[in-house]
Amino acid sequence: MLELLAQVDPLAAVLGGLWLFAAGMFPLGFMLGAPCSACCNSCELCTEGQLPETLTVTFDGLEDKTPGPDLITLSFSACYGSSAEARVTAPGGDPATDKGPLGAVSLTSGGSGYARLGRVAPTLTVSGGSGSGATFTPTLETSKDSCGLDRWALKSVAVKGGKDYVDGEPLTITVATGDTEEQAATAIVHTEREEPTLSLDGNATASITLDDNGDGTWRVASISITNGGSGYSDNYPIPITLGPDDVEVGAAVVYGYTGRIEPTVSVTPHETPGTGATFTPTLTQGTSPFDGRDAWTISGATITAAGTGYSVGDMLLGQATDGLPVDGGFNVGSVTAVDANGGITGVSVGGGWFYKSDGMLQSVDVLYGGLYYKDTGEPASVEVTGGGTYYREDASLPPYVADVTVGISQTAPSNGTGATLTASVEDDTASANFGKITGVTIGNGGDNYLAWQWRNTKCCGDYYNGLSVVLKRNNDCIPGGSASGVCTYTHRFCGVGNARGFLGNATLTYRGPSLAPTLSLVSEAAQLASLCANTSDQFGLSGICNTFFTATGNVTNCSNWAGVSFSASGGATASVTAGGSYDATFRNPGGGACSICCKGESQVPLEIEATINDPRTYRPVDFSGTYVLPWRGQASGFGGIIQSGSVWYTFYQPPNPPPFTSPFVFISVWTEPCSSQTTTGFGPDDWGCDDCHKKCRERASVMLANNSSAAGQCGYATAIDEQTACSLCVETPICSMAGKSFQLQSTCSGTVTLTT
C-alpha cells in the first residue's frame, strides 16, 4: 500500500493522519492509485471536451459560530420520582436580537417514579414467642404519607389461648409475598399476672403484705417478723426472695433491725507519745440519741496501768471491740493528772454510744416496695410498640400521579421572566414508559429568554469564506473500478505551523460524465479543533473545518465548468470556474506563515531587532540597546508561557542555555492565538473572549540580571488576566512584529520599554 501511495503525486505526500479524514470520503480506488498520465492528459472519462489544466474554487458558507453551552437549565421537582432531564432549545443565537419567549423544550430523559401503582391493604401475620398454642389476629389502620400515597400500619393484635409465653417477649410480624414493607412493625406479648409469693432472704420468717398497683404489678407494703432467725446484721438491707414464676420488675428496699445486747468496749490514749497505760471502762445502758434505740455509753474508767510519758490533757478514745458504735468512734475523755514519770494518775471519762447485735430480726422497715408479679405464661394481650408501614401495589387500580413542578434556572445573558412549563407523566400502567415524564408543554413562553448563544469556536468561515484557490490538475489517473479512472485537482495549504507539520488541502475529483464531481476541503487549521473547540483531538486527525462537497450536477463537457456549484451539509458551498494561474505558494509560503496568527499570508521575518530602554542607571550593567532576535518557530516555548501556534523570537546573552549566569539578558517576543493560553491547556472560551483564532495577542517578556544576587534579577512581562486579556487581542493576520512597542512592568523598580 505504501508503494501505491508513493506513486500518487502530490497527494501521496499528505500525511496519513489527514488522509484518515479523506479516506471516508473517496472510493478505495482513489486511495490506491497508479500512474496513468495519458488518461489525465486527455482523460478517457471525458466524452466531450478536454479537462483544463487548472480550476478555480471559491468557498463560502462555512461556519464561524456554533451554539454555545445551554444557558437555561430545567429541573423537575415532585414528591416522588426523579432523574428527569430536559433542555430549552429555542430561542438561541445573538443576545442582542434573538432573546424572546421560550420556544422549544427537548426532553432528554424521562426519569422514573413520577407515577406509582394504586395500593391495597397488605396481609400481615403475627407469630413467635417462646410459648405455644396462641392465636394472634392483627388489625390494620390506613393513612396517607406526606405525598398522599396510601399506607397501612399495624394498629392492634388480638390474642387467644396459648401457654408458656414470657411476659414482654417480642413477636414476629411478616408480610405476604408481593407486599411492600417500608418500615417494620414491632409488638410484644403480655401474659396473665397474679400476686407473687415473696419472702425474706435468710432463716427468719415473716408475714409480707402486698399492695396491688393496679397495672399488673404488686409492691411490698409491710413486713411483720414471726421468727427472727439468726445471723442478721442490724440496720442492713435484706433481699426479697421470689417465689416460683415470680418476676421482679423493680427490687424492694427493706432494712432489718435486730435485738441489741451489751457490747465490749475499750478506752485508750490517743495521739500521745506516752505508753503502757490501760483502763477498764464502765458501761451504762440507755437510749441512743442518734437512733432512739437501746445502746450503752461509757460512764467511767478505772486506771489499771499508769504507763509513762503522758501529759495532762491527752485525749482518751472509746472504741467497740465486740460490737458496733452507733455513730462511729468517740473522744470519751482526757488525762487529768500524771506523776513525775508521766504516769496517768487521773482521768475524766464519759460519752459514746455502742451496742452489739444479737443476730435476730425484730423488725423490718420498707423504704421502697418494689414491683413484682407472678407470670402465668398465658397470653393476656399484645402491645403494638411500632405500627410500621406497609402496602400492596395493584396495577388494576387508578395510579397515583405526582404533581411535577418544572423549574427554570438561567445563566447570563439569558434573563427571561414569565415562562410557565408543565410536565406530562405517563399514567398508563401497561406502558413501558409508566411513571416517566413524556413531555414538557410551554404554557406561557414569557420573554427575554435565550437558550444558547453563538460562540466563535469554529472560525472556518474566517479562514475560507470568499477564498478563491486555484487547483492544479495532477498528471496521473487513479483507477475508480471497472477499468475507468478519476482525475484530480489539488492544492496544498499551510499546516498549523508547529512541529507536527500537518498539511491541509483542497481536492476536486472529476469522476466522469455520469457521476457528479466531488470536492474535499481538508482544513489547514485541523489542529484548531484543540485550540478553539472543546475536544480531545489535539493531533489534527479530524479538523473541525474539514468539509466534503458534492456538485449539484454532472459535468458532461470536460471543457465547460461554467455554472458548476458544490454544496455540503451545514450550508457550505463552493463554486468552480475553469482556469486560473496556479501558485504553489498560495496560503503556503513556508516558514512562520503557517502560524495561526499569520494565516499563510506571507513569510515571517527570520529575525527581528528589539530595542530595550532600561532606565535603571544605578545598576552596574545597562542593558539598553538593540538586539537581534532570531525566529524560533512555533513550538511551545520557555517556561510554558508560549503556546503552540505562536510566532516566537528570542535572544539570550551570554549564549548558553539556562541555568542563567549573571549578567544576562533574555528577551522573548511572540504572537499567540486568543483563547488559547491557560494554566491547564486549551479551552473554547478562556477569559470569555469568544474570539477563537480570529484574533491574536502580541506579547513580550524580558529578564535582566546585572549581578550575582537574586535581588539583581528582574523579570518584565505584559499582564495577562481576565480583565485585560480580551483587550490585548488584535485582528489577524499578524506575520511580523516589526514596529511594536511594549511597556513592560516588573516587581522590581521601574519599567522597561521594548520596541521591535
Side-chain angles (χ1 to χ4, degrees), residues 44-403:
E44 66 182 43
L45 297 180
C46 293
T47 58
E48 183 181 356
Q50 184 171 345
L51 291 175
E53 289 296 319
T54 59
L55 294 174
T56 300
V57 177
T58 302
F59 294 101
D60 201 1
L62 281 85
E63 291 184 351
D64 284 343
K65 301 180 291 185
T66 57
D70 290 340
L71 299 175
I72 302 175
T73 301
L74 298 183
S75 61
F76 298 88
S77 58
C79 206
Y80 45 90
S82 63
S83 302
E85 296 179 356
R87 56 188 296 264
V88 176
T89 57
D94 187 342
T97 59
D98 296 327
K99 287 184 179 180
L102 291 185
V105 176
S106 173
L107 185 68
T108 55
S109 173
S112 63
Y114 293 98
R116 303 286 182 89
L117 294 176
R119 295 179 177 183
V120 295
T123 301
L124 270 60
T125 301
V126 181
S127 60
S130 58
S132 62
T135 300
F136 300 99
T137 304
T139 298
L140 305 181
E141 62 179 348
T142 183
S143 63
K144 293 184 182 294
D145 64 15
S146 58
C147 295
L149 303 178
D150 289 306
R151 60 184 181 180
W152 284 261
L154 181 63
K155 179 180 180 181
S156 62
V157 178
V159 60
K160 182 178 180 181
K163 61 179 181 178
D164 299 331
Y165 288 85
V166 176
D167 188 81
E169 66 179 330
L171 298 176
T172 301
I173 295 106
T174 56
V175 295
T177 302
D179 289 346
T180 297
E181 176 187 89
E182 289 185 339
Q183 182 177 351
T186 55
I188 58 176
V189 64
H190 292 299
T191 57
E192 292 287 351
R193 297 180 177 185
E194 295 179 350
E195 183 175 321
T197 303
L198 306 179
S199 61
L200 286 178
D201 187 49
N203 55 19
T205 59
S207 174
I208 300 178
T209 301
L210 302 178
D211 283 347
D212 190 344
N213 291 318
D215 60 357
T217 62
W218 284 258
R219 68 180 182 275
V220 177
S222 63
I223 301 175
S224 298
I225 302 299
T226 57
N227 185 335
S230 62
Y232 292 92
S233 297
D234 186 70
N235 198 22
Y236 272 80
I238 302 175
I240 297 295
T241 300
L242 304 179
D245 298 322
D246 286 349
V247 176
E248 179 183 84
V249 179
V253 179
V254 299
Y255 273 73
Y257 300 96
T258 63
R260 293 182 172 183
I261 59 178
E262 183 175 328
T264 302
V265 299
S266 66
V267 174
T268 57
H270 184 60
E271 295 183 350
T272 176
T275 60
T278 59
F279 306 89
T280 300
T282 300
L283 296 179
T284 301
Q285 184 177 1
T287 300
S288 167
F290 298 103
D291 59 10
R293 300 179 61 199
D294 289 343
W296 283 258
T297 185
I298 300 174
S299 57
T302 302
I303 300 171
T304 55
T308 61
Y310 294 95
S311 301
V312 173
D314 285 347
M315 182 175 65
L316 300 178
L317 182 65
Q319 292 180 299
T321 57
D322 182 15
L324 295 169
V326 177
D327 194 29
F330 298 93
N331 177 8
V332 296
S334 62
V335 177
T336 58
V338 297
D339 59 19
N341 295 322
I344 297 175
T345 58
V347 296
S348 173
V349 175
W353 293 93
F354 304 89
Y355 71 92
K356 180 179 180 180
S357 172
D358 63 4
M360 299 171 60
L361 284 179
Q362 289 185 343
S363 63
V364 174
D365 188 7
V366 180
L367 302 183
Y368 170 65
L371 296 174
Y372 301 90
Y373 65 90
K374 182 183 292 294
D375 190 352
T376 66
E378 299 176 0
S381 64
V382 174
E383 179 186 355
V384 177
T385 54
T389 307
Y390 303 88
Y391 62 86
R392 173 185 285 271
E393 292 185 326
D394 189 337
S396 67
L397 297 177
Y400 306 92
V401 180
D403 183 9

Side-chain angles (χ1 to χ4, degrees), residues 247-554:
V247 176
E248 179 183 84
V249 179
V253 179
V254 299
Y255 273 73
Y257 300 96
T258 63
R260 293 182 172 183
I261 59 178
E262 183 175 328
T264 302
V265 299
S266 66
V267 174
T268 57
H270 184 60
E271 295 183 350
T272 176
T275 60
T278 59
F279 306 89
T280 300
T282 300
L283 296 179
T284 301
Q285 184 177 1
T287 300
S288 167
F290 298 103
D291 59 10
R293 300 179 61 199
D294 289 343
W296 283 258
T297 185
I298 300 174
S299 57
T302 302
I303 300 171
T304 55
T308 61
Y310 294 95
S311 301
V312 173
D314 285 347
M315 182 175 65
L316 300 178
L317 182 65
Q319 292 180 299
T321 57
D322 182 15
L324 295 169
V326 177
D327 194 29
F330 298 93
N331 177 8
V332 296
S334 62
V335 177
T336 58
V338 297
D339 59 19
N341 295 322
I344 297 175
T345 58
V347 296
S348 173
V349 175
W353 293 93
F354 304 89
Y355 71 92
K356 180 179 180 180
S357 172
D358 63 4
M360 299 171 60
L361 284 179
Q362 289 185 343
S363 63
V364 174
D365 188 7
V366 180
L367 302 183
Y368 170 65
L371 296 174
Y372 301 90
Y373 65 90
K374 182 183 292 294
D375 190 352
T376 66
E378 299 176 0
S381 64
V382 174
E383 179 186 355
V384 177
T385 54
T389 307
Y390 303 88
Y391 62 86
R392 173 185 285 271
E393 292 185 326
D394 189 337
S396 67
L397 297 177
Y400 306 92
V401 180
D403 183 9
V404 181
T405 299
V406 183
I408 303 173
S409 300
Q410 302 177 77
T411 301
S414 180
N415 56 351
T417 57
T420 58
L421 302 176
T422 303
S424 301
V425 178
E426 178 59 73
D427 59 0
D428 182 357
T429 59
S431 171
N433 292 322
F434 175 70
K436 296 182 178 181
I437 293 177
T438 55
V440 178
T441 302
I442 301 173
N444 184 342
D447 197 15
N448 219 34
Y449 292 94
L450 191 68
W452 50 267
Q453 62 179 324
W454 291 116
R455 312 308 295 269
N456 287 325
T457 56
K458 296 184 70 173
C459 300
C460 301
D462 180 61
Y463 259 67
Y464 301 111
N465 286 347
L467 175 69
S468 293
V469 55
V470 177
L471 308 184
K472 181 178 182 294
R473 191 181 72 197
N474 300 315
N475 290 322
D476 55 17
C477 177
I478 300 176
S482 304
S484 64
V486 295
C487 293
T488 61
Y489 293 78
T490 189
H491 177 71
R492 296 175 182 172
F493 297 123
C494 254
V496 296
N498 63 18
R500 299 186 181 99
F502 295 133
L503 299 179
N505 67 80
T507 300
L508 187 148
T509 304
Y510 177 70
R511 302 189 296 169
S514 59
L515 294 174
T518 59
L519 174 66
S520 65
L521 173 63
V522 178
S523 172
E524 64 186 287
Q527 197 196 20
L528 293 177
S530 64
L531 292 177
C532 305
N534 192 8
T535 173
S536 60
D537 175 21
Q538 296 187 13
F539 296 95
L541 299 181
S542 57
I544 58 176
C545 299
N546 290 352
T547 309
F548 181 67
F549 301 82
T550 302
T552 55
N554 301 341

Side-chain angles (χ1 to χ4, degrees), residues 669-684:
V669 179
W670 71 96
T671 62
E672 65 182 13
C674 290
S675 296
S676 65
Q677 181 179 350
T678 67
T679 57
T680 58
F682 301 124

Side-chain angles (χ1 to χ4, degrees), residues 571-625:
T573 63
S575 60
V576 179
T577 58
S581 177
Y582 180 72
D583 180 3
T585 64
F586 176 73
R587 292 289 285 262
N588 191 13
C594 291
S595 78
I596 295 170
C597 297
C598 184
K599 296 184 177 179
E601 288 292 318
S602 63
Q603 288 197 18
V604 302
L606 295 180
E607 60 184 29
I608 62 173
E609 290 185 349
T611 301
I612 291 180
N613 177 19
D614 180 6
R616 303 178 306 155
T617 56
Y618 57 90
R619 299 295 189 183
V621 178
D622 184 0
F623 289 104
S624 297

